Structure formats: structure tokens, C-alpha cells
Amino acid sequence: MLAGKRILLIIGGGIAAFKCHDLIRRLRERGAAVTPVLTRAAQEFVTPLSISALAGEKVFTDLFDLTAEAEMGHIELSRSADLVVVAPATADLMAKMANGLADDLASTLLLATDTPVLIAPAMNVRMWDHPATRRNLATLTGDGVRLAGPNEGPMACGEFGPGRMAEPMEIVEAIAGVLADGPLKGRRILVTSGPTHEPIDPVRYIANRSSGAQGAAIASALSGLGAEVVFVTGPADVPPPAGVEVVRVETARQMQAAVEAALPADAAIFAAAVADWRVASASDSKLKKTTGGLPELALAENPDILAGVARMGAGRPGLVVGFAAETDDVVAHATAKRARKGCDWILANDVSPATGIMGGSENAVVLITGEGAESWPRMRKDQVARALADRIAAALAGQTS
Ligand code: C5P
């Protein structure tokens, strides 16, 4: 799937650099050629010899290497690839990229390149959460830099949280997504997914049974057709797919803010099961069980994120797709919902417990468009996702980007 593609792999100085051995092997197995560049710090973690042996190519390390410069100038090196991949992208490398610094070979190549760049960040969780890294990440994604990971989990430093570099196969998938020459190449698509959690107090919340499986499958299918996908997800059971930009939120209001920040987009797919209500004034401290009285939970209505985007006038995505989870009269309710929300399509499904759809691996959907209702046979959620992605590609093909 990567046959004939050339990857310039910039290896940063972090413990996750060792995963690049496997990454290089996997890329080459799929037919890609890998030109490695090591920062000075990276050479503390992996050796140029091992990387060169696996890549089957010369390793570049030094901006002022006259031999290398005579063979291939660094400007040419920066542009000779189909994709520049930075793995691990350390906090320092991200800061340099975001600020346009060019004080070594890696940062100079990153400033000089005109090819797409994908970064796989890896750092301590506090460094990842630091406002400076948040700012740098926002700058980089705004500049069009693509992201793989980071994942959440135990880290070499003994802490736990987001900051672990994505696994080699996840990075390969992300690379394949960026290089995909599919019908959605050059299209930016927003996908919401998962449930939202609405706090009652610091330890309790209102939620629903959405697993996030269908939303993740849709994001993956769209990315597989070459789309740049922004995946805004509530706390789902299913991990987000590789190769998409992931924005994690908890509440409906956070989801709304994340959706607004992610626009403009060519299409927006609202697969999230957003809680309709939140607790009007969530308590800052844990509610106590008291004798003689139950706590009263006054509810407030959450914003309707789908309707807000579907009715937004200027800047509205060209295609807005909503979901309808119904337990009876699916077509009638979903058709009414399409009109009420102002969206272009509704993908409706029957989630009554007997269907086993909620949390299951299959789905039976009805697509409601301006032309009417179209029932799809029951199939796996990834097949529903692919069928929907194909329909979206066909619809967008008729619209200019
Ligand atoms: O109104 P209902 O929740 O049934 O509509 C479902 C559709 O609306 C889904 O696409 C869901 O993502 C979206 N929605 C939303 N914001 C809400 C409630 C639902 O975007 N507050």
C-alpha cells in the first residue's frame, strides 16, 4: 500500500526512538523507501548504524556534513520525499517546528520542506499537557501538520497519561492515510463520536450507552479514502482510529466548542450520542448521603451541536450528516428529525435492545436524504462506515472544495 513512496523519517531524541527500528521495518515491508535523519539527541537512544542497516540507506545527522551536502543538499533532501515523518516528535522538536527554528539538520529540513509533515509526539505527560506544548500543537495543526497519537498509558518515566508515542503500526496507518490517493484527498471532514459525560459532582455523571464504535469506524473509513479527519470524541469505549486528529472532550458544551474550533470543514458527521441534558449546577464537592432527603437534580438543556452547525449560514460545511437512534417508527422519526435539525442527511438506526446494535458490532441503518429513505441491509459497523464514506465521497465530488 506504500509501494514507491519515499518517507523522510526524522528521529527525535526520546526513549521512544527505539520503536523506529520496527517502524522502518514495517514501512519497508509495505514497499516504502525510508531516508532516516537522526537528531544529535536521537543518537543517544539509537545508533546511526542500526537505523541505516534497517533502512538500507545512508543516515543523515549533520547540517554541516560536506560529503552529504555534495551528494544531496539539505534543501533537496527536505523535498525529495512524499512525506516527512517526525517520530518521536519531542517537545523540543515540536517547539522548534512551531517557531520556525532551524539550528540543526532536522529542524532545518522541517523549515525547508514543502512536502506534508506527520508528527508522532512522545513526551512526559506533564510536558504534553504544558500550555507551551498545547500552543505549539495548535500552531502546528493550524499549519497543516498531521498527527499520529500520542497514546495514553504507562510511560518510561514511571508516570501515566497521554504522551506515549503511537505504536509503529498506528504510525504506518497514519502515513497510509496521509498518502492515500482516495477520492477524499484534500477534503477536511469533522466527525463527532462517543457519548458525553455531564457531571453531577466530581465523581458522578450522567451518560449514555454509546460505545463510539460507529463514529470511530466512520472516521477510519473517511481517512482511508484520503480525507483529513478531525475526530472530536467523548469518553468512548473504543479507541480513536490512527491517522486522524483526535480532540478529546467530556461534556456536550466542550464538544460544541471543539466542533466550532475544528471548522471550516467540507463535511461534518455527527455520530456522537450527545447527552440532551446536563445538571444545571454541578456540585464542586461530592454530594453526601444525608438522612431525610434526596438531592434534587435540576437539569438544563445542552446545546444542539448538529442543529447549530446545520443552520450556521456562512461557513456551513457543504454536507452535514446527523444520526438518529430510535426505538420505534425509525423512518418517520428520522425524517422529521432531518427537517427539524436542518441537516442534509440522517443515518437512522433502531437501537431497541432486541436489535443488539447498541455496543454490538453490527448496525442496520436507514439513510434519509432529500430524496427519501433508503434501507441498508444489516452489516458490520465498519461496512456501514465504508458505505457511508463512499456516499460522502460521491456527494462531495459534485461540490468544489
Ligand atoms: O436529537 P437527537 O439526539 O436524537 O439527534 C441525534 C443527532 O443529533 C446526532 O447526530 C447527534 O450527534 C446530534 N446531537 C447533537 N447535539 C445534541 C444532541 C444531538 O449534535 N445536543
Side-chain angles (χ1 to χ4, degrees), residues 192 270-276 302-306 322-324 337 341:
T192 72
F270 292 88
V274 183
D276 289 319
N302 269 332
D304 192 317
I305 308 166
L306 164 63
F323 276 65
K337 186 167 289 179
K341 304 251 185 185

Side-chain angles (χ1 to χ4, degrees), residues 182-255:
L184 290 173
K185 195 172 174 64
R187 300 292 192 169
R188 179 176 165 88
I189 304 188
L190 165 72
V191 179
T192 72
S193 184
T196 63
H197 284 181
E198 309 295 334
I200 297 171
D201 67 16
V203 296
R204 305 181 179 96
Y205 55 82
I206 297 177
N208 59 63
R209 294 189 192 281
S210 166
S211 65
Q214 187 64 80
I218 291 168
S220 171
L222 292 167
S223 159
L225 294 185
E228 175 192 348
V229 176
V230 187
F231 186 64
V232 178
T233 178
D237 300 338
V238 172
V244 305
E245 182 188 335
V246 181
V247 185
R248 291 176 202 273
V249 297
E250 289 268 331
T251 68
R253 286 189 294 175
Q254 289 167 358
M255 185 171 277

Side-chain angles (χ1 to χ4, degrees), residues 67-294:
T67 322
E69 204 59 25
E71 285 167 3
M72 185 196 272
H74 64 264
I75 300 290
E76 197 185 330
L77 181 61
S78 77
R79 297 181 188 170
S80 60
D82 296 295
L83 181 69
V84 179
V85 176
V86 187
T90 58
D92 177 64
L93 259 176
M94 285 175 60
K96 281 182 177 162
M97 288 173 75
N99 291 287
L101 297 188
D103 62 356
D104 63 2
L105 179 62
S107 53
T108 303
L109 293 174
L110 285 160
L111 194 61
T113 192
D114 59 0
T115 41
V117 178
L118 175 118
I119 61 172
M123 67 197 71
N124 169 273
V125 56
R126 303 236 182 287
M127 295 168 79
W128 176 250
D129 284 339
H130 194 284
T133 306
R134 306 278 90 206
R135 277 196 305 276
N136 292 335
L137 180 65
T139 303
L140 291 173
T141 50
D143 288 347
V145 168
R146 312 290 288 268
L147 199 62
N151 294 340
E152 198 172 286
M155 324 234 293
C157 54
E159 290 186 66
F160 185 94
R164 270 171 71 93
M165 189 168 90
E167 294 305 320
M169 272 316 290
E170 294 173 326
I171 300 175
V172 170
E173 268 184 57
I175 291 171
V178 177
L179 293 177
D181 274 330
L184 290 173
K185 195 172 174 64
R187 300 292 192 169
R188 179 176 165 88
I189 304 188
L190 165 72
V191 179
T192 72
S193 184
T196 63
H197 284 181
E198 309 295 334
I200 297 171
D201 67 16
V203 296
R204 305 181 179 96
Y205 55 82
I206 297 177
N208 59 63
R209 294 189 192 281
S210 166
S211 65
Q214 187 64 80
I218 291 168
S220 171
L222 292 167
S223 159
L225 294 185
E228 175 192 348
V229 176
V230 187
F231 186 64
V232 178
T233 178
D237 300 338
V238 172
V244 305
E245 182 188 335
V246 181
V247 185
R248 291 176 202 273
V249 297
E250 289 268 331
T251 68
R253 286 189 294 175
Q254 289 167 358
M255 185 171 277
Q256 183 186 40
V259 163
E260 283 168 4
L263 294 176
D266 295 291
I269 320 301
F270 292 88
V274 183
D276 289 319
W277 308 284
R278 65 177 181 277
V279 175
S281 42
S283 172
D284 289 337
S285 54
K286 187 182 168 192
L287 297 180
K288 293 278 183 275
K289 214 158 58 174
T290 51
T291 46
L294 296 171

